[in-house]
């Protein structure tokens, strides 16, 4: 039986399409300080990028009984303060590559743990509104990454089979989400993950434009 071609690409946002690491870590450390929690290193904070905000405190403070909603509310307020104009930049070759993929007829979507409101703001401000056709944020699913719900929801919306889609992300949470859904996966090495943590991906790329080669 002939293998079906890829028709859709499902992207993570943070660390995949845009460089948000600086403002995320700044916000996380300010949140931890404001809530009077024990300090966590840069590396420890980076390791949680990709999780929903209500789940971050469980990863950073597994032995403490904390209210995830309190952490999330505090983080969102502080993120709004730190996310000044120009604080978040799109990665090199992302806009051009996405435009080319759109031209070729691929369905391009986002599945992120970030809130839907901030995703919409970033999509608009980074010039992606005419390219990205569907956005899922952390609150749009019952189970966050690495559960496959966001991918399955996207596939269902467009009537796509798992083997007709590629999940593109920078962390193990993204790759596991794609694998758990039965989709193909592509890890980007310029974000928050490492080549080792992305080793279960079908492809690894060091430059976003290399995604075109994965589809050739």
């Amino acid at each position: 039986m002939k293998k079906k071609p890829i028709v859709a690409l499902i992207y993570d946002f943070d660390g995949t399409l845009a460089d948000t690491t600086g403002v995320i870590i700044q916000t996380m450390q300010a949140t931890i300080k404001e809530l009077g929690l024990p300090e966590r290193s840069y590396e420890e904070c980076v390791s949680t990028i990709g999780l929903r905000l209500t789940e971050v405190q469980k990863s950073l403070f597994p032995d403490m009984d904390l209210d995830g909603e309190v952490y999330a509310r505090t983080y969102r307020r502080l993120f709004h303060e730190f996310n000044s104009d120009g604080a978040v930049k799109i990665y090199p070759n992302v806009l051009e590559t996405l435009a080319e993929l759109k031209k070729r007829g691929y369905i391009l979507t986002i599945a992120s743990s970030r809130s839907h409101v901030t995703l919409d703001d970033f999509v608009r401000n980074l010039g992606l509104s005419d390219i990205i056709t569907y956005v899922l944020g952390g609150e749009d699913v019952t189970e966050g990454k690495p559960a496959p719900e966001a991918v399955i929801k996207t596939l269902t919306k467009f009537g796509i089979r798992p083997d007709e889609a590629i999940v593109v992300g920078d962390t193990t949470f993204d790759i596991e989400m794609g694998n758990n859904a039965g989709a193909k996966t592509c890890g980007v090495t310029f974000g928050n993950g490492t080549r080792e943590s992305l080793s279960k991906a079908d492809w690894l790329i060091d430059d976003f434009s290399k995604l075109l080669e994965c589809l050739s």
Side-chain angles (χ1 to χ4, degrees):
M1 182 177 179
K2 186 177 180 180
K3 183 172 65 174
K4 285 199 172 186
I6 298 299
V7 299
L9 294 101
I10 303 169
Y11 298 97
D12 169 55
F13 181 79
D14 297 288
T16 300
L17 299 182
D19 185 1
T20 56
T21 304
V23 69
I24 286 176
I25 301 306
Q26 186 179 21
T27 305
M28 288 182 68
Q29 292 180 336
T31 300
I32 290 169
K33 182 176 181 180
E34 181 170 317
L35 295 177
L37 299 170
E39 291 184 5
R40 290 295 183 261
S41 68
Y42 177 92
E43 291 76 17
E44 287 173 313
C45 291
V46 166
S47 71
T48 68
I49 296 178
L51 295 173
R52 292 190 292 187
L53 287 179
T54 52
E55 298 166 349
V56 168
Q57 87 289 344
K58 297 176 187 176
S59 179
L60 287 178
F61 309 101
D63 298 326
M64 299 179 68
D65 185 18
L66 303 173
D67 187 336
E69 291 297 338
V70 171
Y71 177 93
R73 285 198 302 271
T74 306
Y75 178 97
R76 291 188 186 104
R77 173 173 53 79
L78 292 172
F79 184 86
H80 181 72
E81 296 176 11
F82 291 126
N83 184 32
S84 57
D85 289 344
V88 172
K89 293 183 173 22
I90 200 163
Y91 281 116
N93 299 321
V94 166
L95 192 57
E96 300 87 344
T97 302
L98 291 179
E100 176 61 25
L101 291 169
K102 181 76 170 181
K103 181 180 177 182
R104 295 184 186 185
Y106 290 100
I107 296 169
L108 308 177
T109 76
I110 290 175
S112 171
S113 296
R114 174 175 294 285
S115 75
H116 198 123
V117 171
T118 57
L119 280 174
D120 283 344
D121 287 342
F122 279 131
V123 166
R124 181 176 61 256
N125 294 335
L126 295 174
L128 300 174
S129 297
D130 294 332
I131 298 174
I132 300 296
T133 58
Y134 186 57
V135 172
L136 286 177
E139 70 273 37
D140 296 323
V141 294
T142 302
E143 293 185 284
K145 301 176 184 179
E149 183 180 347
V151 176
I152 293 171
K153 194 170 182 178
T154 302
L155 299 178
T156 300
K157 176 176 176 60
F158 292 100
I160 300 168
R161 291 183 4 177
D163 59 352
E164 295 176 308
I166 300 177
V167 173
V168 184
D170 68 310
T171 72
T172 182
F173 305 120
D174 302 314
I175 304 308
E176 289 178 4
M177 175 180 67
N179 289 339
N180 289 338
K184 297 293 185 181
T185 54
C186 177
V188 301
T189 62
F190 48 78
N192 298 300
T194 64
R195 295 188 74 87
E196 182 179 6
S197 67
L198 299 169
S199 62
K200 292 184 180 179
D202 294 291
W203 298 278
L204 285 180
I205 57 174
D206 301 315
D207 184 294
F208 198 84
S209 64
K210 297 296 183 182
L211 191 55
L212 296 172
E213 297 178 11
C214 300
L215 296 164
S216 61

